Amino acid sequence: MPPRARARARMYDPAKTRAAVTAQLAHVRDAVRELGDERLGARLSAAVRLEDPAPSARELTVTEWATAAPAEPETEPDPGEPLERAAARFAELIATAPGDRLVAARGGAMRLDDFLVTRCVELIVHTDDLATATGVSIPYDRHALATASRVLADALAAKAPGGSVEVRVPPFAVVQCVEGPRHTRGTPPNVIETAPLPWIRLATGRLPWPEAVESAQVTASGERADLSPHLPVLT
């Protein structure tokens, strides 16, 4: 049997990605202002890296970044730097930096356009963490939320390749994964469906699979519809 063809990498619109990162960062900045904590920094490692020489490390795809083993912590700005100033510096740098400019990332290097896709994931995850920890309501930019959902769904499909289970994250993502009998037509025998935020919490280890099923944040039908052996996706 010939080897299975490698799935084509998902494409992300660079202009929409930059707008989404900027918008979600603004939501976080506004929330921090409301909390009155001027010392709270942001995960703006791209801003720091754009001021450094381009790295010579192996170039990663978005999915390779998401499925990479945990590496050294990503460089963060001085925690004493006000978020307002850090956000302004970040926005200024990405406004003019070329999309093919290499920046350092965990496990290697990435094109800036791809790296900003990963910043959508980071910003959505940490927005959710901040909202949970403080009780402050923080908006989610729709494109950033969609991007995070798709990156993590594609990472699941790469981590647990196969076609026996269909995972649906409406309205943003559908992937097939997990080894076993491959579904070809009609209603799949093994279906998992959840909303974007529960999916992101599952994929990043913030929501345990049994709790998600018990609380009906996930619906799972079929004998193979169990993602617990494959979670979390992003560590």
Side-chain angles (χ1 to χ4, degrees), residues 124-204:
I124 290 295
V125 170
H126 292 290
T127 295
D128 192 42
D129 287 347
L130 182 60
T132 299
T134 64
V136 173
S137 178
I138 309 174
Y140 295 90
D141 177 81
R142 179 180 172 83
H143 191 78
L145 186 61
T147 298
S149 300
R150 290 165 182 157
V151 168
L152 294 172
D154 290 346
L156 171 66
K159 183 177 180 180
S164 68
V165 178
E166 184 165 288
V167 177
R168 301 171 180 173
V169 188
F172 299 135
V174 177
V175 296
Q176 291 192 353
C177 57
V178 183
E179 290 184 353
R182 186 170 180 80
H183 167 73
T184 56
R185 64 175 62 184
T187 303
N190 302 286
V191 176
I192 293 167
E193 185 167 322
T194 185
L197 280 177
W199 164 238
I200 290 166
R201 292 166 188 158
L202 280 166
T204 58

Side-chain angles (χ1 to χ4, degrees), residues 28-229:
V28 174
R29 181 194 60 210
D30 292 344
V32 170
R33 185 185 297 122
E34 182 178 336
L35 291 168
D37 187 351
E38 291 300 325
R39 292 182 59 81
L40 183 61
R43 296 182 64 86
L44 294 179
S45 48
V48 176
R49 292 188 177 101
L50 285 174
E51 294 170 340
D52 293 340
S56 58
R58 185 176 74 89
E59 186 174 338
L60 304 174
T61 66
V62 170
T63 300
E64 286 173 333
W65 169 85
T67 56
E72 291 296 320
E74 294 183 346
T75 304
E76 299 207 18
D78 179 353
E81 180 180 22
L83 178 55
E84 195 81 32
R85 186 190 310 153
R89 184 163 59 97
F90 176 77
E92 180 182 357
L93 287 168
I94 69 167
T96 57
D100 59 357
R101 201 270 198 212
L102 289 181
V103 296
R106 67 173 191 169
M110 301 185 77
R111 297 172 65 254
L112 177 61
D113 282 345
D114 291 337
F115 188 74
L116 290 176
V117 170
T118 74
R119 297 308 89 184
C120 284
V121 179
E122 293 280 351
L123 278 167
I124 290 295
V125 170
H126 292 290
T127 295
D128 192 42
D129 287 347
L130 182 60
T132 299
T134 64
V136 173
S137 178
I138 309 174
Y140 295 90
D141 177 81
R142 179 180 172 83
H143 191 78
L145 186 61
T147 298
S149 300
R150 290 165 182 157
V151 168
L152 294 172
D154 290 346
L156 171 66
K159 183 177 180 180
S164 68
V165 178
E166 184 165 288
V167 177
R168 301 171 180 173
V169 188
F172 299 135
V174 177
V175 296
Q176 291 192 353
C177 57
V178 183
E179 290 184 353
R182 186 170 180 80
H183 167 73
T184 56
R185 64 175 62 184
T187 303
N190 302 286
V191 176
I192 293 167
E193 185 167 322
T194 185
L197 280 177
W199 164 238
I200 290 166
R201 292 166 188 158
L202 280 166
T204 58
R206 285 153 172 82
L207 175 63
W209 177 259
E211 180 182 330
V213 174
E214 179 67 23
S215 61
Q217 295 182 67
V218 168
T219 59
S221 61
E223 62 180 14
R224 294 177 179 270
D226 179 4
L227 293 183
S228 55

